[in-house]
Amino acid sequence: MNRIDRDGRIAELNPIADDGDEIHFCSTCAFGSVCLPAGVDKSALQELHVLVEHVGPYRAGEHIFRRGERFGAIFAVRGGVVKTCLVDDEGHEQVLGFHLPGEMIGLNAIHPEKYPCDAVALDTVYVCRFSFAALTTLAAKIPDVQQTLFRLLSADIGKATALAGDHTAEERLAAFLLDLAKRYASRGFSSTRYRLVMPRGDIANHLRLASETVSRVLRRFCDRELIRVDGRELELLDREQLRKIARNLLPE
């Protein structure tokens, strides 16, 4: 089922990246902007294009990669949502993050040369696979590719430290919901309505909260008419108030 976003466009609840055309790469992909700032079209970036291998579908619960596997590629999510997580020897899971269409996974494997975590599909997932060895060779030739890699690495480091510190459950959840909206909007999807694919337990784990706390705060936000929740469909109703709640966790 689809919804209409604030601009009157149909917003898919399980969006998938477009495949571009003869001139441009997928508009939702992290590398999709490489050809635009410098005015370079796809024909001049065939070396980058041929590095891309479309892989999938992965079904919910299937692994894109596992912790300890030898690193050889980074991945861009084309469709669905991917969870990255760590599982200790006793089977306890720590959810590191959730990755939406257009976002990259596997960047944290560059230094150890092994994937340091698992990447698991939360629904039906399609990815683009980039050979890292070939990509780094190309980055030396095309500065925009290199800059994109540096930007992605910097953003990945920033996400890893965002939840550090003593923050309330309301602050953490408000920041999480706003961050998802911002990331969807940056890829051309609705900035106010999206599908909360990840289970409540995974959200709680990621935010370092109890599942009951997440459910309670979501109900509180609904009662205050800050959000609307229908199953896994979520709509932001009062972004300004959510920003006030999450101000200590949001970038200035």
Side-chain angles (χ1 to χ4, degrees), residues 7-246:
D7 298 317
R9 298 174 300 181
I10 293 177
E12 298 179 359
L13 295 182
N14 184 21
I16 188 167
D18 67 85
D19 287 323
D21 53 31
E22 293 83 2
I23 303 299
H24 303 97
F25 289 95
C26 305
S27 63
T28 51
C29 179
F31 283 101
S33 61
V34 170
C35 57
L36 301 178
V40 181
D41 66 18
K42 184 184 284 187
S43 63
L45 285 174
Q46 283 302 313
E47 290 179 83
L48 177 56
H49 189 57
V50 299
L51 298 181
V52 182
E53 176 188 2
H54 286 182
V55 184
Y58 294 91
R59 305 303 179 189
E62 294 183 342
H63 285 70
I64 291 86
F65 54 77
R66 294 178 182 271
R67 181 182 183 183
E69 290 180 349
R70 186 173 180 273
F71 170 67
I74 57 176
F75 300 83
V77 181
R78 290 187 63 236
V81 177
V82 174
K83 171 180 72 174
T84 49
C85 57
L86 289 170
V87 180
D88 64 23
D89 294 337
E90 297 180 355
H92 300 132
E93 183 180 73
Q94 178 187 351
V95 177
L96 303 177
F98 305 103
H99 306 267
L100 311 178
E103 297 182 344
M104 309 298 292
I105 52 176
L107 292 167
N108 56 354
I110 293 174
H111 171 64
E113 297 185 347
K114 291 183 179 180
Y115 295 106
C117 62
D118 295 341
V120 183
L122 289 179
D123 54 355
T124 301
V125 167
Y126 297 83
V127 299
C128 290
R129 182 184 186 276
F130 292 83
S131 164
F132 189 71
L135 189 59
T136 52
T137 299
L138 185 61
K141 301 178 183 178
I142 305 176
D144 287 288
V145 174
Q146 188 177 67
Q147 290 172 13
T148 298
L149 273 175
F150 288 154
R151 178 176 55 81
L152 292 171
L153 285 167
S154 176
D156 206 51
I157 294 169
K159 290 176 184 176
T161 59
L163 291 175
D166 185 18
H167 302 287
T168 68
E170 285 200 352
E171 287 176 321
R172 289 170 184 266
L173 192 56
F176 176 74
L177 298 178
L178 289 170
D179 178 64
L180 281 181
K182 179 181 178 181
R183 288 155 60 192
Y184 272 122
S186 71
R187 304 301 178 196
F189 303 118
S190 173
S191 63
T192 57
R193 295 185 178 116
Y194 52 84
R195 190 164 186 258
L196 213 57
V197 173
M198 53 289 292
R200 299 288 192 269
D202 281 351
I203 295 173
N205 185 308
H206 176 56
L207 297 179
R208 314 297 191 263
L209 300 171
S211 296
E212 298 79 6
T213 301
V214 168
S215 296
R216 186 169 60 251
V217 174
L218 284 173
R219 286 195 299 270
R220 192 181 303 155
F221 284 174
C222 288
D223 292 343
R224 293 165 61 183
E225 297 186 345
L226 305 181
I227 63 173
R228 180 183 294 118
V229 178
D230 182 8
R232 291 199 174 186
E233 298 176 40
L234 185 139
E235 181 180 6
L236 304 184
L237 300 178
D238 192 338
R239 296 166 66 97
E240 288 307 312
Q241 187 59 37
L242 287 169
R243 286 193 187 96
K244 289 180 182 178
I245 294 171

